[in-house]
Amino acid sequence: MAIYAFDGVSSFHLAAPQLVFGEVRRVSPRTPWTTTLWSFTENAVTLAEGYRLSGLSGPDAAATADIVVVPSWPEDLPELDARLDELLTAAHARGATIVGLCLGAVAVADSGLLAGRTAVTHWAAMEALKSRHSDIDLDSLVLYVDHGDVMTSAGTVSAVDACLHLVRERLGADVANDVARSLVVAPHRDGGQAQYTRRPVPTTPADNPIGDVIAWALGHLDESLTVERLAAHACMSTRSFVRNFKIATGATPAQWVLTQRLDAARVLLETTDLAVDTIARRCGFGSSVTMRQNFATAFATSPARYRQQFRRT
């Protein structure tokens, strides 16, 4: 495994694949896995935290690696450097698996290896990546996507899940479970588990009728919020309201209302002991069945599992 290090990479992103892959040798000493950090710079890089990391290998380390990992990418998402582009495509052509963890998926996408495929990255970069590569099918409801020859993962800690998946695929569940047990992490989190993100409500001027409707609707999520009722509150025709609402929020009224109900449900699941039936009524779903169906569609998990994972003490 050859892990790419660059100036500005965070120590966590660099350490996550090293930790998982390195643990393989400790729990299974006879497994011929080696991990190398490499860079285009001369033997050293400066980490995001300000530390200087020296003793790195050069790009030759990636030229023979079975797995080449881009563990992250600068937050301003610069275009892929020609040298790294050439290295990734050459490694892929000779049969190496290319892995883009977190924002590293952006670099892999720029190399063209994800064209026409499904991928994932940190939720904060999804829109930027979508506009940059419209030919990539981005899935925000997964922790990682593995095509066998190319793999991408969602944000930050999802890198550990992705690397454990690589161990499981190549060495079997027993070794992966031993690694997870040694690291004291879950041996397997569902790849279909959503990235949990807060969706901010678009701001609108206080004197804007759409802004007034948004503020009013947020206080009446437990009621029926049909398009007709929202339009009447804004003193607009239904057709005019739908058009102006989409301009202001980027979503249809129905989509927006559903999103707000789901977010309100998440807050109640995290911060209260209310029964799911009660939360469903308070958030306007009508029944717990409807809430569960919409919750599973949006977040690829159930309200009960979400509460178990995110419950605040």
Side-chain angles (χ1 to χ4, degrees), residues 169-244:
E169 287 296 301
R170 287 157 176 76
L171 300 176
D174 287 345
V175 174
N177 289 342
D178 287 343
V179 169
R181 188 179 302 111
S182 180
L183 298 179
V184 198
V185 297
H188 183 249
R189 287 201 297 162
D190 296 340
Q193 184 174 340
Q195 297 189 65
Y196 299 110
T197 62
R198 293 290 184 196
R199 297 177 185 150
V201 178
T203 57
T204 55
D207 58 350
N208 185 304
I210 300 301
D212 291 340
V213 169
I214 286 175
W216 176 81
L218 288 173
H220 295 78
L221 289 176
D222 59 327
E223 302 175 14
S224 173
L225 296 176
T226 63
V227 174
E228 292 75 17
R229 188 181 183 192
L230 295 173
H233 189 85
C235 299
M236 301 170 70
S237 69
T238 300
R239 183 175 180 180
S240 178
F241 173 75
V242 170
R243 182 178 66 254
N244 283 277

Side-chain angles (χ1 to χ4, degrees), residues 46-82:
T46 300
L47 303 179
E49 294 79 8
Y51 303 116
R52 188 76 171 162
L53 184 64
S54 60
L56 304 179
S57 299
D60 289 347
T64 57
D66 298 292
I67 300 174
V68 178
V69 180
V70 183
S72 185
W73 201 240
E75 291 185 4
D76 59 349
L77 308 180
E79 295 290 338
L80 181 63
D81 177 88

Side-chain angles (χ1 to χ4, degrees), residues 19-63:
L19 186 66
V20 175
F21 298 151
E23 201 66 24
V24 168
R25 293 295 298 272
R26 286 184 279 275
V27 302
S28 182
R30 294 185 179 182
T31 301
W33 278 39
T34 57
T35 306
T36 303
L37 292 181
W38 67 276
S39 177
F40 288 113
T41 60
E42 294 185 0
N43 300 321
V45 296
T46 300
L47 303 179
E49 294 79 8
Y51 303 116
R52 188 76 171 162
L53 184 64
S54 60
L56 304 179
S57 299
D60 289 347

Side-chain angles (χ1 to χ4, degrees), residues 201-202 214 217-218 245 249 251-261:
V201 178
I214 286 175
L218 288 173
F245 192 92
T249 67
T252 66
Q255 291 169 336
W256 182 86
V257 168
L258 177 59
T259 296
Q260 304 315 310
R261 283 177 168 156

Side-chain angles (χ1 to χ4, degrees), residues 10-21:
S10 77
S11 56
F12 177 88
H13 288 108
L14 207 55
Q18 291 184 84
L19 186 66
V20 175
F21 298 151

Side-chain angles (χ1 to χ4, degrees), residues 288-303:
S288 59
V289 173
T290 301
M291 175 177 156
R292 288 189 178 95
Q293 290 173 342
N294 284 281
F295 209 89
T297 299
F299 307 124
T301 191
S302 67

